[in-house]
Amino acid sequence: MRYTLRQLEVFLATARSENITRAAETLAMSQSAASGALRELEQQFGIALFERAGKRLKLNELGRMLLPRAEGLLEQASELEHALAGKGEVGELRVGATLTIGNYLAVGIVARYMQGEPGRQLPGARVLLDVENTEHIADAVLHFRLDVGLIEGEFHHPDLEVTPWRDDALTVFCAPDHPLAAKGTLSDDDLRAATWILRESGSGTRQTFERALHGLLPGLNVLLELQHTEAIKRAVEAGLGIGCLSQVTLVEAFRRGSLVPLSVPHRDFSRQFYFVLHRQKYRSRGIERWLQLCREMP
């Protein structure tokens, strides 16, 4: 075999960071050793895998084609290493989750993933959780920076497999002393006249909100666009406007009475959460275990 697993590790780390120095740091190597490994890999086969622009290394067409194959090979080698060492079937898993899922659902799944049996941590199991909006997560899966994504919004790309996971719905809400709280059910005129505190563009929540209120955009009065769910809830509690978030984020606030739901029965706020994976991604046992635990979640 004319290549080594170490050379492939350097190739993958460089592809992710687009910088040989950062790749070397990730692998706990010296820069010269990492550069030598990458150079030897290319010279052995008489190929170039990157386009070089100063210190930045961008995958060329051949590099992009080989990336999922090299990653799959390394993941299978890692599984073999864990099996030989008697450490179980899973290792490090890189998961991306949008803000609603990451803050309210994913932590419980992480806990279950790391337990081989009730109360016992699975040896070698490790989850790196990246919480961002839908566009960021989908882009990271597309470029193999993440193994699997859990997203709130629909996303279309020929290289990505986006499949339904579970149902969800948004809820319009306000502070208990807001003028609309006494009304309960809102008309389109109420929606137009309201001051809104919303998630930012690019988020799955905003995507569903805009779909539900089709015909009323762009005439809505949007006072604030915030990235964080809790910030939106605090702003609404302070009386700055009304909001619209996933029902899973509002359960405790409704129970305490710090926020109250508003009914908009003529508008459809239903949606789905999705899994997103790269079509060429090797489905390791860790990925399959993660997907299974997500599907088993009540």
Side-chain angles (χ1 to χ4, degrees):
M1 193 173 294
R2 295 171 58 192
Y3 60 85
T4 67
L5 294 179
R6 194 56 162 173
Q7 289 172 336
L8 295 184
E9 286 180 324
V10 173
F11 166 56
L12 288 180
T14 305
R16 290 169 182 157
S17 64
E18 298 185 344
N19 182 279
I20 195 67
T21 301
R22 288 196 296 270
E25 291 173 352
T26 300
L27 299 172
M29 300 173 66
S30 68
Q31 180 179 343
S32 60
S35 296
L38 183 59
R39 183 171 57 254
E40 288 171 6
L41 177 63
E42 292 180 318
Q43 289 178 348
Q44 282 169 199
F45 294 93
I47 58 173
L49 298 169
F50 295 90
E51 296 173 355
R52 290 163 171 80
K55 294 184 178 180
R56 191 176 184 187
L57 299 175
K58 294 278 291 183
L59 283 173
N60 60 22
E61 184 178 359
L62 177 61
R64 289 191 298 270
M65 182 187 72
L66 294 178
L67 181 64
R69 300 180 185 181
E71 185 170 39
L73 181 60
L74 281 174
E75 289 184 358
Q76 292 178 70
S78 178
E79 287 183 353
L80 177 60
E81 182 178 8
H82 278 82
L84 289 170
K87 292 183 177 180
E89 61 178 27
V90 297
E92 180 178 281
L93 186 69
R94 298 164 296 155
V95 177
T98 48
L99 273 71
T100 297
I101 298 171
N103 291 329
Y104 294 89
L105 299 176
V107 173
I109 303 171
V110 170
R112 293 185 62 198
Y113 178 86
M114 297 180 68
Q115 292 174 346
E117 298 175 1
R120 184 174 70 84
Q121 184 174 353
L122 188 65
R126 185 184 179 200
V127 178
L128 302 181
L129 182 63
D130 183 13
V131 180
E132 269 289 353
N133 68 26
T134 293
E135 289 185 352
H136 177 98
I137 296 301
D139 183 73
V141 173
L142 180 63
H143 293 93
F144 298 97
R145 296 191 299 272
L146 293 173
D147 298 315
V148 59
L150 307 175
I151 61 175
E152 303 162 38
E154 298 178 9
F155 196 93
H156 302 283
H157 190 283
D159 292 332
L160 294 180
E161 180 181 313
V162 181
T163 56
W165 168 27
R166 58 183 291 163
D167 294 332
D168 184 47
L170 303 188
T171 300
V172 180
F173 61 97
C174 67
D177 56 353
H178 191 280
L180 290 177
K183 188 165 185 178
T185 300
L186 306 187
S187 66
D188 279 353
D189 288 339
D190 294 323
L191 298 174
R192 288 191 192 94
T195 299
W196 290 90
I197 315 295
L198 298 175
R199 282 287 307 276
E200 81 287 359
S201 296
S203 69
T205 297
R206 182 63 173 269
Q207 183 184 92
T208 301
F209 174 82
E210 292 182 350
R211 185 203 70 213
L213 268 63
H214 64 90
L216 301 184
L217 305 172
L220 295 184
N221 177 21
V222 180
L223 177 65
L224 291 173
E225 295 179 318
L226 302 173
Q227 188 177 24
H228 296 288
T229 298
E230 291 302 314
I232 293 174
K233 290 158 66 176
R234 299 291 87 79
V236 173
E237 286 175 353
L240 296 180
I242 68 175
C244 186
L245 292 171
S246 169
Q247 57 190 6
V248 303
T249 72
L250 296 164
V251 173
E252 286 302 311
F254 289 164
R255 183 185 60 80
R256 294 192 308 267
S258 59
L259 295 170
V260 295
L262 298 169
S263 176
V264 191
H266 64 293
R267 293 283 174 172
D268 181 12
F269 288 95
S270 63
R271 66 173 180 176
Q272 286 189 310
F273 293 155
Y274 298 89
F275 299 122
V276 56
L277 297 105
H278 199 289
R279 293 188 186 278
Q280 298 184 60
K281 175 75 177 177
Y282 170 68
R283 306 298 167 86
S284 66
R285 293 179 182 177
I287 290 176
E288 294 295 348
R289 173 177 167 80
W290 177 268
L291 297 177
Q292 177 186 354
L293 291 175
C294 288
R295 294 189 182 102
E296 292 174 354
M297 189 176 188

